[in-house]
Amino acid sequence: MNSTPPGHPGHHRSRPQPRRPARPPLSSELLAARTLEVPPSLPRIVVKSPTSHPFLYRKRLGDFDRTARHGDLVQLMLPSGESFGYGLFNPRAEIAVRVLSHGDAVPDEAWWADRIRSAVELRRTVLNLDDTTNAFRVIHAESDGLPGLVADRLGPVLSIEVFSLAMYQRAEAIAGLLAKELGTEQTIIQTAPQTLELEGFAAEPKWLTPPAKRLEIQEFGTRFAIDFSAGHKTGFFCDQRDNRRRLAEFCQGAEVLDLCCYTGGFSVQAARLGKASSVTGVDLDEQAIEIAKKNANLNQTRVRFVHADAFNYLRDMLRAERQFDVVVLDPPKLIRTRSEQEEGRRKYYDFNRLAMQLVRPGGLLLTCSCSGLMSQELFLRTVSSAVPGNRRGQILFRTSAGPDHPVATDCWETDYLKAFWVRVL
C-alpha cells in the first residue's frame, strides 16, 4: 500500500500543526477511563464490505445499533448474520471501527493480557533487546494487534501515545498490564497529533505517576537524555536505533554532517561508536538542539550543533564549496495528507539534490523518509532523480525501522520508515 491512513502511528515522527476541527471536541465524560472488561451486551454493527485490514472506514459499514457510543467495544456482523469479529467504534472518525479480533474471539481481559504478553515477549525474549538497550518500542499498534496505540519503554518510563478515542479510554488499563510485564516505574500517556481533527477529542499529556524529572536511556552503551516537555512523539526515536549503529561503521575518521538531527541520535553515535573526526548536527528546533548538546556531553564526545534551517544550511555549505564524507538526511514528515503529496515529493527531491552535492566523491548519503504517503518505489525514484548530472549514485542498502517496529502483513502502512544508503561517486 502507498498510503498511511489518518491516525496511524506512521505519523508519529512528524511535527505537524493540526488543522482546526469542523466540530467541537467530545465532552469530557466520553474521555473517562474504561476497563478492559466486556459489557454484558454489545452493540452490533453490520460490515457490508468486509476486509482483512484492521481499519473499517464508514463506507464499509451498514446498519449499526444506535446505542453504540463513542469508544464502545462492538460486535461486527456480516449481512448474512455470521459473526465477523469485534472492534472499537468511533462514529466521528473516518476510521469508524478498528478491528481487534475476527470470528468468535471476544477481546476480554485475558485477550488483552495475552496480546500485551506476546508483544513484550517479542522484544525481550525473541529480539533480546535488553542486551543492547533499555529503550525500545513495545507496542506497535496494528503490528501487535492493538490498533490505535503505540508504547515505548524508555528506561523506567512507559511512554504511551494514542491515535484513537477508544484506546485513549483504555490506555490506563493497558498501561497497568504493560508496567507489570516490563517492571517500569512511571507512565505518561499522550495523544498523537491531529486526534482532535481525526478522532474528535483532545487531551493534555497525563502522567499516571509523579513525572520523570530527569531521564537517561542507553543504546549500545551510548547515553541519551529524554525531555518529555520538549520531545515529540513518545520522547525518543527508537525506530532508527539499528540505522544509527550501522552508520557508525562508515564514520571512522570521517567528517559527518547530520541534517535534521533532532536530539543528536545519529550525531552522537557517529562520534562515539563511529570515531568520526568531526560531526556537525543541524536542526531548526532550538529545544532539540539543547538536548542534543547535553547528549554529546553525556558521552564526552565533540559534536558541533547548529540551530538553523536545514535547507538554508545546505545552500550555505554549497556556496562555501564545503563537502563531507558522510551526510545524514532524516527530515520530519514532509507529506501528511494526499493534497501535500506533490509538494512533499518536491521537497524530498530538493533536499536530496542539495545533500548529494555536499558528499565527497565516494562518500555516503543516508537519506530517510518517514512519510507513509511516500511509497518505497516513489522514494527510490525521487532519490535517484536527485543525483546531480555530473555525479553517479550507488544504493548500497535499503533499510527501515528496527524489528521492534514489526510490519503487519494485514496492514502494510506499519512499514512507514524508508532509509536508503547511497554512495555518491
Side-chain angles (χ1 to χ4, degrees), residues 43-46 61-69 74 89 91:
R44 292 188 171 188
I45 294 180
V46 174
L61 303 180
D63 295 333
F64 63 90
D65 192 328
R66 297 298 170 179
T67 63
R69 300 178 73 244
V74 296
F89 178 60

Side-chain angles (χ1 to χ4, degrees), residues 63-125:
D63 295 333
F64 63 90
D65 192 328
R66 297 298 170 179
T67 63
R69 300 178 73 244
H70 301 78
D72 275 358
L73 176 66
V74 296
Q75 184 175 12
L76 305 170
M77 309 297 294
L78 296 175
S80 64
E82 182 182 356
S83 176
F84 178 73
Y86 296 85
L88 299 173
F89 178 60
N90 185 358
R92 272 210 174 186
E94 184 180 351
I95 304 171
V97 175
R98 296 177 190 251
V99 179
L100 296 177
S101 63
H102 289 94
D104 297 323
V106 182
D108 56 15
E109 290 179 283
W111 179 94
W112 287 90
D114 183 67
R115 288 282 168 103
I116 289 169
R117 194 177 303 113
S118 175
V120 173
E121 180 182 7
L122 169 63
R123 279 73 178 183
R124 306 193 82 173
T125 304

Side-chain angles (χ1 to χ4, degrees), residues 33 51 83 99 125 146 159 162 199 221 239 256 270 287 322 344 364 395 422:
T51 173
S83 176
V99 179
T125 304
L146 298 173
S159 180
V162 292
E199 289 278 324
D239 52 2
V256 178
Q287 288 180 307
R322 183 79 164 85
L364 179 74
I395 295 178
V422 187

Side-chain angles (χ1 to χ4, degrees), residues 113-405:
D114 183 67
R115 288 282 168 103
I116 289 169
R117 194 177 303 113
S118 175
V120 173
E121 180 182 7
L122 169 63
R123 279 73 178 183
R124 306 193 82 173
T125 304
V126 178
L127 300 176
N128 295 311
L129 289 175
D130 289 323
D131 294 345
T132 55
T133 183
N134 63 352
F136 49 84
R137 173 65 48 88
V138 68
I139 299 289
H140 192 49
E142 295 78 30
S143 294
D144 289 296
L146 298 173
L149 180 142
V150 299
D152 287 350
R153 187 262 175 90
L154 301 172
V157 173
L158 176 63
S159 180
I160 292 177
E161 187 176 32
V162 292
F163 296 78
S164 78
L165 170 66
M167 281 299 191
Y168 181 80
Q169 294 168 335
R170 292 161 177 81
E172 291 188 31
I174 293 169
L177 293 174
L178 269 173
K180 184 177 179 181
E181 290 284 337
L182 294 168
T184 48
E185 301 167 3
Q186 298 161 304
T187 299
I188 182 173
I189 297 171
Q190 302 179 84
T191 58
Q194 297 178 291
T195 53
L196 181 56
E197 176 191 353
L198 301 173
E199 289 278 324
F201 80 102
E204 292 297 317
K206 176 169 58 176
W207 285 92
L208 303 185
T209 54
K213 295 181 179 179
R214 184 172 181 269
L215 175 64
E216 289 181 15
I217 57 93
Q218 68 82 23
E219 62 176 34
F220 310 116
T222 305
R223 300 159 63 193
F224 292 97
I226 308 285
D227 184 349
F228 287 100
S229 66
H232 305 279
K233 197 201 58 141
T234 56
F236 185 70
F237 293 151
C238 299
D239 52 2
Q240 290 280 28
R241 177 181 55 255
D242 292 342
N243 290 330
R244 287 190 282 264
R245 179 174 63 173
R246 173 172 275 186
L247 182 83
E249 298 172 6
F250 296 88
C251 293
Q252 177 76 43
E255 291 185 278
V256 178
L257 173 63
D258 181 11
L259 298 161
C260 307
C261 67
Y262 188 50
T263 57
F266 280 109
S267 299
V268 174
Q269 291 293 38
R272 181 184 175 273
L273 295 182
K275 309 299 181 186
S277 64
S278 71
V279 182
T280 302
V282 181
D283 202 283
L284 188 58
D285 187 329
E286 192 169 8
Q287 288 180 307
I289 286 291
E290 289 305 311
I291 300 171
K293 291 176 180 178
K294 181 185 296 185
N295 289 333
N297 291 334
L298 279 174
N299 295 280
Q300 298 181 328
T301 56
R302 296 185 63 183
V303 181
R304 176 174 174 260
F305 288 107
V306 179
H307 175 223
D309 177 86
F311 267 117
N312 293 338
Y313 188 86
L314 280 166
R315 295 187 182 101
D316 288 345
M317 293 297 100
L318 192 57
R319 283 191 290 267
E321 299 183 349
R322 183 79 164 85
Q323 289 188 316
F324 301 81
D325 302 299
V326 175
V327 176
V328 179
L329 177 58
D330 184 22
K333 187 187 304 296
L334 300 179
I335 304 173
R336 298 192 301 272
T337 65
R338 287 183 176 85
S339 64
E340 296 176 350
Q341 195 161 22
E342 182 54 33
E343 179 187 359
R345 189 200 63 79
R346 287 197 299 268
K347 288 180 180 177
Y348 279 113
Y349 173 87
D350 292 342
F351 248 142
N352 281 275
R353 183 80 168 188
L354 289 168
M356 287 185 191
Q357 295 176 72
L358 297 191
V359 180
R360 289 196 177 103
L364 179 74
L365 169 67
L366 169 57
T367 180
C368 307
S369 168
C370 60
S371 297
L373 283 166
M374 171 165 272
S375 67
Q376 180 123 187
E377 180 184 359
L378 179 58
F379 191 48
L380 176 61
R381 292 204 307 267
T382 302
V383 171
S384 298
S385 64
V387 178
N390 62 339
R391 308 288 296 271
R392 289 190 300 119
Q394 297 174 319
I395 295 178
L396 307 182
F397 312 103
R398 281 181 274 187
T399 57
S400 58
D404 52 331
H405 296 64

